[in-house]
Amino acid sequence: MPVFSLNSACLFADVPVWVRPLGLVAAGAIAALVLLAAIVGALRLVMPKTAAIARTTAKEALAEPLFWVELVLGSLLLVVLAFIPYNTFGDDVKVMKDAGLTLILVAAILLSVWTASVSVADELEGRTALTVLSKPVTRRQFLLGKFLGVLVPTLLLFIGLGTVFLTMVSFKVTFDAREAAITADIGRYCRQEMLQVAPGLVLAYLETIVFSAISVAVATRLPLVPNLIICAAIYVVGHLVPLFVQTSAGEQPIVAFVGQVFATVLPVLDHFTIQAAVATGREIPWEYIGWAAAYAAVYSTIVLMLGLLMFEDRDLA
């Protein structure tokens, strides 16, 4: 027994410091996959028709080259981010975390818009949706199934890129520490940086859910290019409106009023960003993530209801 313990300790000592906390990453990825499988199983029992549409949509999205291009190219870019010298005097990890989260979010939003346009707009324009709706399937089931089908490939993309991202965050800590000749308690810092940025992935996926609902609703009336332009405009304006309202408040009433209207109609995307927390090194409480999830669910439901109204009035024949 002492010999076995000594050999195990020697083997563990040979493992790089940044690799040791990656068990948490593997556990998180497995938990996300198990949760996805449980939700899919429950959906098949409760709403089998909606689940069938969602499964078909997800399979079509995973068969598209865009998913695999984003997965491979995004992984390579995340690896490159770990070796870029940001010249921030000790804050390179924070800059990398911010850039990595933005990269994953933009890739997921692009995938959701593309999938919604291909599975909804193209099917409506090509009249193939009539084949599905001619069966005992309502338009509500069709639209909800498309929305849930869009969420599956985006979640798988998040799991893949998120795993690479957290791995490179841990590596970046040791890489910078080696450059600065720091050797004290590097493993704890690796684990701390990974745990501090992990809630950002959850919030980024909640933002992707909101954009998936928007893209599915828009796809009931418009094709890919207008859908992409609208989502890009909402992404830019949604992040700028809160700052715009704060800076214009009390100066020009008309400008402040217009800003308040945009802030009410458009999603408040600042709820899903953690740049301030990353910059200050603070952790995101899970209570905040719960409120952000509730906001994403309410806003997505409203958008899907508006999309259903537009879909009900459309003549598919």
Side-chain angles (χ1 to χ4, degrees):
M1 180 65 74
V3 175
F4 176 78
S5 301
L6 180 60
N7 291 337
S8 300
C10 292
L11 291 175
F12 187 75
D14 293 335
V15 177
V17 176
W18 63 273
V19 177
R20 299 173 189 175
L22 296 186
L24 298 174
V25 179
I30 294 173
L33 291 174
V34 171
L35 179 60
L36 176 61
I39 293 175
V40 171
L43 186 64
R44 293 181 63 180
L45 294 176
V46 178
M47 296 183 290
K49 296 179 182 179
T50 302
I53 297 174
R55 183 172 63 253
T56 302
T57 304
K59 288 182 178 179
E60 292 175 353
L62 294 175
E64 291 287 337
L66 179 64
F67 174 83
W68 301 103
V69 169
E70 287 193 350
L71 184 61
V72 175
L73 183 60
S75 300
L76 293 176
L77 290 177
L78 290 172
V79 172
V80 171
L81 287 177
F83 295 95
I84 296 178
Y86 299 98
N87 300 322
T88 56
F89 302 102
D91 290 334
D92 285 12
V93 177
K94 295 179 181 180
V95 177
M96 178 200 168
K97 290 191 294 185
D98 190 12
L101 286 174
T102 303
L103 171 65
I104 296 174
L105 174 62
V106 172
I109 292 176
L110 177 61
L111 179 63
S112 66
V113 175
W114 177 278
T115 305
S117 298
V118 170
S119 62
V120 178
D122 289 358
E123 288 188 9
L124 295 178
E125 291 293 335
R127 303 295 189 271
T128 56
L130 284 174
T131 306
V132 178
L133 294 174
S134 62
K135 302 176 181 179
V137 176
T138 64
R139 297 196 180 196
R140 175 175 56 85
Q141 293 172 332
F142 178 82
L143 194 66
L144 180 59
K146 292 297 183 181
F147 170 67
L148 296 177
V150 171
L151 295 184
V152 173
T154 54
L155 178 59
L156 294 177
L157 183 67
F158 257 88
I159 294 174
L161 294 182
T163 301
V164 177
F165 174 56
L166 294 177
T167 301
M168 298 315 299
V169 167
S170 181
F171 172 79
K172 181 66 173 176
V173 174
T174 59
F175 181 79
D176 289 353
R178 184 169 62 251
E179 292 292 324
I182 300 174
T183 59
D185 207 3
I186 300 301
R188 182 176 66 85
Y189 287 114
C190 292
R191 184 170 58 255
Q192 178 179 341
E193 293 291 346
M194 289 169 51
L195 294 177
Q196 195 263 344
V197 77
L201 290 172
V202 180
L203 291 174
Y205 184 69
L206 293 177
E207 184 173 345
T208 303
I209 292 177
V210 173
F211 275 97
S212 298
I214 295 174
S215 60
V216 169
V218 174
T220 59
R221 289 289 181 174
L222 299 175
L224 172 62
V225 176
N227 196 341
L228 187 60
I229 295 175
I230 291 173
C231 289
I234 293 176
Y235 178 84
V236 175
V237 178
H239 282 287
L240 293 180
V241 162
L243 180 61
F244 177 74
V245 172
Q246 292 175 4
T247 55
S248 63
E251 298 179 0
Q252 298 181 0
I254 297 179
V255 177
F257 173 75
V258 174
Q260 288 291 348
V261 171
F262 277 110
T264 303
V265 175
L266 298 179
V268 184
L269 301 181
D270 277 356
H271 292 337
F272 308 110
T273 58
I274 64 167
Q275 278 82 357
V278 170
T280 58
R282 292 184 291 108
E283 295 184 358
I284 303 298
W286 289 103
E287 292 82 3
Y288 178 83
I289 297 178
W291 285 110
Y295 175 81
V298 172
Y299 193 90
S300 299
T301 302
I302 295 174
V303 171
L304 288 176
M305 291 176 64
L306 294 176
L308 182 60
L309 291 176
M310 294 187 295
F311 189 34
E312 291 287 354
D313 294 337
R314 178 163 182 173
D315 185 10
L316 301 181

